[in-house]
Amino acid sequence: MSIKFFLLGKFMRSIKNKKFLLIIVNNIFILVLCFYFVQSNTYMGKTAYIPSGNNILANSKPFFPFGFYYVDYNIPKNLQSQFKINALTDMANAGFNIIHTSNSEQPDNDRIMLDKAQKLGIYVILEGPADPEVMDAFKTKSALLGWNIADDANSRYTPDVISNRRNKVKKINSNYLTYISMFSLKPEVIKRYLHTSDLIGFQSYPISDRYLDSTFYDMKNIVNTSKIYNAAPTIANLQTFKWNEPDSIGNPQREPTFREVRNMTYQALLGGVKGIIYFSYRYENWYLPEHQELWNGLKSLVPEIKIISPILLNGNLNQIDEEFKNILAGIWINQNQVLAIIINTSHTETTEVAIKVPANLSQAKSIFANRASGLVIKGNELTGLIKPLDVHVYSLS
């Protein structure tokens, strides 16, 4: 080290024109800054999850995935690549941070898509696994969060098949995360799949054939089961599409309203999920941007999730059961931060609530403007009226 500094000093003394030297040093400094900012804007970092907190780690920080599925098998092959880039750009411009999509039959198109995702700062889960050569070629793509190794996992694959797929992916790149998506109401079924993947997507599509509050109980069920067995974090797969098939009694089904989707979103958070990937931006004849009220509403959720995701990831959730009909509630505490969420899942009934809160709190401040509010702390209770489908989000102090 001393020899290097000696030679550098000798070089600097040999330059007679001090002004010229300052120009050189200044230009080097500018180049270093440019390099730093380019790197900071394009490098998305390694990914892993932390078993102790069950968080996904991206670029060394806890990360809350928030985005969409994109299913394009019915799109003509000559249009798939451009349509996917358009969707990716649309999601990124709205502030979403993840897209789940299938790997194509043309790796060059996927490579272009992954490079575009990196520039936009949006992560990708590719449905596969693909050929080993493709997965190996993509392991330098920092936008690639991981591979979906089983869709509808519990109805289509045995745990052994999925575990073997996971091992093949990890053999190619141990930093790849694996992901499955599933649905079951039976803890014994869920248990069999918990350790087959790094991440588990859990589906909840209640519109219009189940009760709306089923989303909370679906997510609570898998999150609690996963905690018991120290298994994978849960990513909620929530409904933003209309079923093509009729419901259980033969009636045509409808698309969810934005108020229902926002309600389900906060239900999933109360259930303890560590990310949300909605199904779907595109699927068969469903194209979300054609449903402007729903699409615009979903975009309005992005700043909400960005604001509260740190405490969702780092805080301790206490689900509150006060036995008010149609009411779900919970409080997150992280050091001196307290977040309260109260939901009315009824489409028709207004309910007066009195939710117990820690005794040292006296003020409830609504976090989001132009959203439902009006609850106040009296004694050690958060009290007031909650209208149908309303979601109340407060910072308590």
Side-chain angles (χ1 to χ4, degrees), residues 73-298:
Y73 56 76
N74 64 323
I75 301 297
K77 291 188 181 299
N78 64 318
L79 298 175
Q80 285 181 352
S81 179
Q82 188 56 55
F83 278 28
K84 189 175 291 186
I85 291 292
N86 292 345
L88 183 74
T89 303
D90 201 16
M91 294 179 204
N93 287 342
F96 295 99
N97 60 26
I98 195 165
I99 181 174
H100 175 294
T101 187
S102 298
N103 70 89
S104 69
E105 297 174 1
Q106 299 177 324
D108 284 345
N109 287 343
D110 289 335
R111 188 175 290 107
I112 292 170
M113 185 268 294
L114 288 169
D115 288 341
K116 180 68 171 179
Q118 181 177 340
K119 291 179 181 177
L120 292 171
I122 186 168
Y123 284 99
V124 179
I125 292 177
L126 282 178
E127 188 165 349
D131 293 333
E133 294 79 9
V134 174
M135 288 194 288
D136 187 65
F138 288 171
K139 67 184 181 183
T140 60
K141 301 298 183 182
S142 59
L144 183 56
L145 186 76
W147 293 88
N148 182 341
I149 55 176
D151 189 43
D152 297 327
N154 57 299
S155 63
R156 299 172 62 189
Y157 306 97
T158 66
D160 286 344
V161 167
I162 301 172
S163 295
N164 287 336
R165 288 184 172 186
R166 180 180 185 273
N167 293 338
K168 289 178 181 178
V169 171
K170 294 294 185 178
K171 186 176 180 180
I172 292 170
N173 182 6
S174 61
N175 287 324
Y176 278 150
L177 294 179
T178 54
Y179 171 92
I180 65 173
S181 181
M182 64 178 292
F183 173 76
S184 177
L185 296 176
K186 300 177 180 179
E188 62 271 20
V189 174
I190 294 172
K191 177 184 172 182
R192 294 171 57 212
Y193 289 85
L194 287 178
H195 292 96
T196 61
S197 179
D198 299 310
L199 305 171
I200 295 181
F202 204 73
Q203 303 164 16
S204 183
Y205 310 145
I207 309 297
S208 49
D209 209 20
R210 298 174 70 206
Y211 291 113
L212 186 65
D213 64 1
S214 62
T215 292
F216 169 73
Y217 295 105
D218 292 344
M219 298 307 156
K220 179 181 178 181
N221 184 25
I222 185 171
V223 169
N224 288 349
T225 305
S226 184
K227 285 180 179 178
I228 291 171
Y229 297 101
N230 193 28
T234 301
I235 294 178
N237 300 151
L238 303 182
Q239 182 179 0
T240 57
F241 73 102
K242 180 179 74 171
W243 289 104
N244 291 326
E245 300 81 6
D247 65 19
S248 57
I249 57 175
N251 294 323
Q253 301 204 56
R254 62 174 177 83
E255 67 187 68
T257 66
F258 169 63
R259 293 190 71 206
E260 289 171 328
V261 173
R262 185 170 185 262
N263 196 290
M264 288 187 285
T265 298
Y266 281 90
Q267 286 185 48
L269 298 181
L270 283 176
V273 303
K274 295 295 185 175
I276 296 172
I277 303 179
Y278 297 104
F279 190 93
S280 180
Y281 182 95
R282 181 186 290 278
Y283 171 65
E284 295 182 347
N285 62 346
W286 175 264
Y287 181 54
L288 182 57
E290 290 180 348
H291 305 265
Q292 278 294 306
E293 184 176 352
L294 180 56
W295 175 227
N296 288 335
L298 281 158

Side-chain angles (χ1 to χ4, degrees), residues 21-61:
L21 175 60
L22 288 173
I23 292 173
I24 292 175
V25 172
N26 187 59
N27 285 340
I28 292 173
F29 180 67
I30 291 172
L31 286 171
V32 170
L33 281 179
C34 290
F35 176 79
Y36 170 79
F37 284 116
V38 168
Q39 290 297 308
S40 64
N41 286 334
T42 60
Y43 178 68
M44 299 177 72
K46 290 196 304 181
T47 56
Y49 81 94
I50 310 169
S52 60
N54 249 18
N55 289 332
I56 302 166
L57 198 69
N59 204 16
S60 302
K61 297 178 180 179

